[in-house]
Amino acid sequence: MKFIHTADWHLGKIVNNIHMTEEQAYVLEQFLDIVRREEPDAIIIAGDLYDRAIPPKEAVELLNRIFTTIITELHIPILAISGNHDSPDRLEFGSDLFRKQHLYLEAKFKGNSSPVVLHDAHGPVYFHLVPYTEPAEVRSVFEDDSIQSHQQALEAIIEKMNRKYDLSERHIFIGHAFLAGGMETESEERLSMIGGTPYVDARLFEPFSYVAMGHLHQPQRIHRKTIRYSGSILKYSFSESNQQKSITIVELDQEGVCQINRIPLIPKHDMRIVEGYFHALLEDPLENKEDFLHIQLLDEGQIIDPMNKLRKIYPNILRLERKVQTSRNSLLDLPKIREKQSRSHTELFASFYEEIKGVPIPESSMKHIDKVVATIIDKERRS
């Protein structure tokens, strides 16, 4: 059996006030060409189909067109889940009807979903679709108050699978989570850290033949070659400028995964960081002048109206700054940024409380804050 693993399309994404729908349509046409050429038995999309809970009309139309082509023209099953950017309620609409057309879209965690079973010459392959879910949702579904973190939530989910199925057979896990050891960028929205870390230990997934993950935008393997992020289909921030976007082709034999290949995706306009002197950039223009650019100027003296002058040659400059100043500020701010990113929502609130009041927040109040933050996160995902 052969299947394609992709994720993090983020349709409707806006980067530096630029709507990316045209760029996404361009690369998804490439994706369709790859699908026609490779003729896979299934396509996996591991979450974040949209960039926000209420996507723009153009994004919905694009997804509809791509899905319709794959399902009705190419007759290839799609196995997709919701990610932390998607609205579970909206994605779930019509999902039971879609299954009859072999569009398997798991948007809400229910705790009792059965795997999608596809067959090849060697027998069945079981695809477990586990949408992004907050620990509080899993705690409620399983009625287990000990579930407080993403790690504990997935432990409970996989333990139930292990009791119900023989995972030594060919079982594929499709999920959307932050596996410990993964390389992140500025693009990924931080997952909830209520009750602790958002990270999940990749060793949880040892029983599965292949683990198709979404959330991190860089294509990468975690712990072993069969636990993978396919990465996003486009660069969505300059922190991804050195990445090669791709989709992953996975082939199974009777024992499990026998071959994994990546096929690159070439954007209409690349996203690049370039540095140089102002007059050199004007007099000796760069190649691919219409790429999305972050230009770092090496000049130290005053420059009059650099952005407008450069934009006459490079129309898609998204960011312009001085290299020296940036480096100095980055060195000063980096420890503070890393320390702040490591804190949970409640820890940040507790720090703010202590700074304002001069005393630590009482333990009883922290429990109420946990509940309030969980409620807000749930509302944001459903709004």
Side-chain angles (χ1 to χ4, degrees), residues 236-343:
Y236 289 128
S237 79
F238 287 106
S239 64
E240 301 177 31
S241 62
N242 292 325
Q243 297 177 13
Q244 172 64 69
K245 300 303 183 179
S246 62
I247 55 102
T248 305
I249 306 284
V250 182
E251 296 189 49
L252 306 178
D253 60 15
Q254 60 185 351
E255 301 298 326
V257 173
C258 63
Q259 191 169 348
I260 298 174
N261 293 308
R262 285 174 52 198
I263 298 181
L265 297 170
I266 309 302
K268 185 176 183 179
H269 300 108
D270 199 3
M271 187 171 285
R272 297 187 290 145
I273 301 175
V274 297
E275 60 179 55
Y277 290 95
F278 178 67
H279 288 294
L281 291 169
L282 292 179
E283 295 167 8
D284 185 18
L286 304 166
E287 293 183 1
N288 303 317
K289 294 188 289 293
E290 293 191 357
D291 282 349
F292 298 118
L293 299 178
H294 173 187
I295 294 182
Q296 298 178 330
L297 294 177
L298 301 177
D299 307 77
E300 294 187 2
Q302 184 180 7
I303 303 173
I304 299 173
D305 199 17
M307 180 64 91
N308 285 331
K309 290 177 180 176
L310 287 168
R311 273 207 169 132
K312 290 177 181 178
I313 299 175
Y314 310 103
N316 292 323
I317 297 177
L318 301 185
R319 191 181 300 173
L320 178 66
E321 60 189 2
R322 296 293 185 100
K323 177 69 181 291
V324 175
Q325 183 180 357
T326 301
S327 301
R328 191 179 298 123
N329 287 343
S330 297
L331 289 171
L332 292 173
D333 295 344
L334 190 57
K336 293 181 181 178
I337 292 170
R338 284 179 174 166
E339 191 271 337
K340 185 177 179 182
Q341 286 179 335
S342 68
R343 294 186 183 186

Side-chain angles (χ1 to χ4, degrees), residues 25 36 90 94 137 231 262 275 301 365:
R36 292 186 181 100
R90 286 183 173 82
E137 296 173 77
R262 285 174 52 198
E275 60 179 55
S365 298

Side-chain angles (χ1 to χ4, degrees), residues 139-292:
R139 181 166 66 244
S140 174
V141 169
F142 286 164
E143 298 180 341
D144 183 350
D145 290 338
S146 69
I147 297 173
Q148 298 292 326
S149 67
H150 289 276
Q151 171 79 17
Q152 292 166 335
L154 280 169
E155 281 177 354
I157 291 168
I158 293 173
E159 183 183 348
K160 184 174 181 180
M161 290 178 187
N162 210 14
R163 291 197 305 266
K164 194 171 181 181
Y165 304 101
D166 179 6
L167 297 184
S168 65
E169 298 177 355
R170 295 184 299 170
H171 287 259
I172 312 299
F173 186 98
I174 304 170
H176 195 91
F178 195 157
L179 300 187
M183 297 178 67
E184 59 184 315
T185 68
E186 294 174 358
S187 297
E188 298 99 3
E189 181 180 285
R190 187 176 63 178
L191 300 183
S192 163
M193 296 194 293
I194 297 172
T197 173
Y199 307 119
V200 174
D201 190 340
R203 289 173 293 184
L204 268 181
F205 303 96
E206 286 286 357
F208 296 94
S209 298
Y210 184 82
V211 178
M213 275 290 167
H215 182 57
L216 297 185
H217 287 192
Q218 178 167 324
Q220 57 193 292
R221 51 176 282 184
I222 307 292
H223 183 55
R224 59 183 171 92
K225 71 173 185 178
T226 53
I227 302 176
R228 303 183 82 93
Y229 287 96
S230 64
S232 58
I233 57 172
L234 283 172
K235 300 174 184 180
Y236 289 128
S237 79
F238 287 106
S239 64
E240 301 177 31
S241 62
N242 292 325
Q243 297 177 13
Q244 172 64 69
K245 300 303 183 179
S246 62
I247 55 102
T248 305
I249 306 284
V250 182
E251 296 189 49
L252 306 178
D253 60 15
Q254 60 185 351
E255 301 298 326
V257 173
C258 63
Q259 191 169 348
I260 298 174
N261 293 308
R262 285 174 52 198
I263 298 181
L265 297 170
I266 309 302
K268 185 176 183 179
H269 300 108
D270 199 3
M271 187 171 285
R272 297 187 290 145
I273 301 175
V274 297
E275 60 179 55
Y277 290 95
F278 178 67
H279 288 294
L281 291 169
L282 292 179
E283 295 167 8
D284 185 18
L286 304 166
E287 293 183 1
N288 303 317
K289 294 188 289 293
E290 293 191 357
D291 282 349
F292 298 118

